Amino acid sequence: MTKQQVDQAISELISKYVFPFEALVDVHTRLLGCTDVHYAAQQLRYLQNLINAGMAKKRRK
């Protein structure tokens, strides 16, 4: 995956799920100015893990 693809995947998750505010702030802070695709992918996995753990709820349409 490219950094752009990871960023897009993160954006899609954020648009589809309601995450804890603290998690969003943490991810945003970590990705601010980040150019490392592996680090960004780690943040994507973190958000996916929150979904799998039931800590993020699907947004209503």
Side-chain angles (χ1 to χ4, degrees), residues 7-19 24 27-28 47 51 59:
D7 289 345
Q8 180 63 34
I10 289 171
S11 293
E12 287 177 17
L13 285 182
I14 290 172
S15 70
K16 291 180 182 178
Y17 290 88
V18 177
F19 289 93
L24 292 178
V27 169
H28 173 74
L47 293 176
I51 293 168
R59 291 187 186 272

Side-chain angles (χ1 to χ4, degrees), residues 3 6 8 12-13 16 30 35 41 47 49 54-56 58 60:
K3 174 74 165 61
V6 173
Q8 180 63 34
E12 287 177 17
L13 285 182
K16 291 180 182 178
R30 291 173 185 270
T35 58
L47 293 176
N49 288 339
M55 298 181 71
K58 194 153 186 131
R60 294 184 178 150

